[in-house]
């Protein structure tokens, strides 16, 4: 009986993390949920798929998501999933892990100035009392990224005026050429940044 309760609690923890992450690889779930070795993680996720709590799609590797049964079990209000989001979401998850899984990580929360929405960062968090905004660069037009950087400059000035610190804009890109363009644009508009 105790073993069954532990198993249910572990499954619910994994489903809750999938509710937050939307999509995740085995490795991401393994790290975030402390599932120890590869074999153990594979066994647990296989059991959850068999019980129809989660399902998967295959790209270069298995990518997991919550089923309707899993959503009901944990009371998820997750919207319908779109496969076009997969790469973007997996990149955001990788950055979340790379940044040490910030406790106040929030995804896609509107950033407002004087009550007016300026933009929606892919994620945001604070570290050492300073705001950090996250943007995932995945197949987005560079001009769109530059427009975002201009908006982040306005946001940065507002944050400095209210909280007396300059926030950091964190970019995650897989292209060296695009990283250079993002760096150049951030420097040109005077935005404090970091690129992964």
């Amino acid at each position: 009986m105790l073993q069954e309760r532990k198993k249910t609690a572990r499954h619910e923890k994994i489903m809750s993390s999938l509710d937050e992450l939307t999509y995740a690889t085995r490795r991401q779930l393994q790290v975030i949920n402390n599932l120890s070795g590869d074999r153990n993680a594979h066994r647990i996720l296989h059991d959850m798929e068999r019980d129809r709590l989660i399902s998967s799609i295959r790209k270069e590797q298995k990518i997991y998501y919550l089923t309707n049964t899993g959503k009901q079990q944990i009371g998820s209000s997750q919207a319908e999933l779109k496969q076009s989001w997969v790469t973007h979401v997996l990149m955001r998850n990788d950055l979340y892990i790379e940044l040490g899984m910030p406790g106040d990580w929030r995804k896609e929360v509107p950033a407002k100035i004087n009550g007016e929405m300026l933009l929606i960062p892919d994620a945001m968090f604070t570290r050492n009392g300073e705001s950090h905004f996250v943007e995932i660069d995945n197949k987005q037009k560079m001009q769109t990224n530059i427009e975002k950087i201009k908006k982040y400059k306005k946001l940065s000035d507002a944050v400095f005026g209210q909280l007396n610190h300059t926030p950091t804009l964190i970019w995650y890109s897989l292209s060296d050429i695009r990283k250079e363009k993002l760096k150049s644009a951030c420097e040109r508009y005077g935005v404090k940044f970091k690129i992964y």
Side-chain angles (χ1 to χ4, degrees):
M1 193 67 155
L2 178 63
Q3 196 65 17
E4 193 60 36
R5 268 187 276 168
K6 277 184 175 177
K7 179 180 171 183
T8 300
R10 182 176 54 220
H11 286 184
E12 286 179 353
K13 182 179 178 205
I14 293 166
M15 288 188 291
S16 292
S17 66
L18 267 175
D19 188 32
E20 274 298 307
L21 299 168
T22 313
Y23 290 106
T25 63
R26 178 195 44 79
R27 188 193 61 76
Q28 290 170 344
L29 290 170
Q30 192 173 346
V31 170
I32 291 167
N33 294 286
N34 299 314
L35 299 181
S36 62
D38 294 348
R39 224 174 167 163
N40 186 51
H42 176 74
R43 180 186 54 77
I44 292 166
L45 295 172
H46 177 75
D47 287 350
M48 291 178 74
E49 273 194 285
R50 187 195 62 228
D51 294 342
R52 292 186 166 79
L53 299 172
I54 62 174
S55 192
S56 63
I57 54 175
R58 188 165 269 294
K59 296 253 181 191
E60 290 123 35
Q61 58 190 312
K62 262 189 166 185
I63 298 157
Y64 297 92
Y65 60 93
L66 278 175
T67 63
N68 288 335
T69 304
K71 288 178 189 178
Q72 284 178 330
Q73 184 163 328
I74 62 166
S76 169
S77 57
Q78 190 180 74
E80 188 177 331
L81 304 179
K82 294 183 180 166
Q83 285 198 19
S84 59
W85 298 345
V86 171
T87 302
H88 181 90
V89 168
L90 295 179
M91 288 174 69
R92 184 175 60 204
N93 296 348
D94 281 341
L95 187 59
Y96 169 67
I97 291 168
E98 177 70 25
L99 294 170
M101 300 184 289
D104 64 345
W105 179 272
R106 292 175 295 153
K107 51 183 199 174
E108 299 180 20
V109 175
K112 300 177 181 181
I113 296 178
N114 301 324
E116 186 179 320
M117 190 187 67
L118 185 62
L119 49 80
I120 301 174
D122 289 321
M124 57 194 299
F125 66 97
T126 56
R127 178 162 286 154
N128 301 324
E130 293 191 0
S131 304
H132 291 73
F133 300 99
V134 172
E135 284 293 334
I136 304 300
D137 174 46
N138 176 41
K139 297 180 184 174
Q140 188 154 247
K141 289 181 182 170
M142 191 51 69
Q143 189 55 43
T144 303
N145 286 339
I146 290 170
E147 291 305 315
K148 281 185 180 180
I149 289 168
K150 290 177 187 176
K151 289 179 180 181
Y152 275 111
K153 176 58 178 161
K154 283 184 191 174
L155 182 61
S156 179
D157 292 344
V159 169
F160 186 80
Q162 290 176 4
L163 304 174
N164 202 29
H165 76 267
T166 303
T168 302
L169 173 57
I170 298 174
W171 284 98
Y172 180 34
S173 179
L174 301 176
S175 161
D176 289 337
I177 292 169
R178 292 176 69 87
K179 285 179 196 174
E180 279 306 311
K181 289 182 179 181
L182 291 168
K183 177 179 184 276
S184 174
C186 286
E187 287 172 346
R188 183 176 27 196
Y189 293 104
V191 173
K192 184 178 169 184
F193 70 97
K194 208 170 196 178
I195 301 177
Y196 287 83

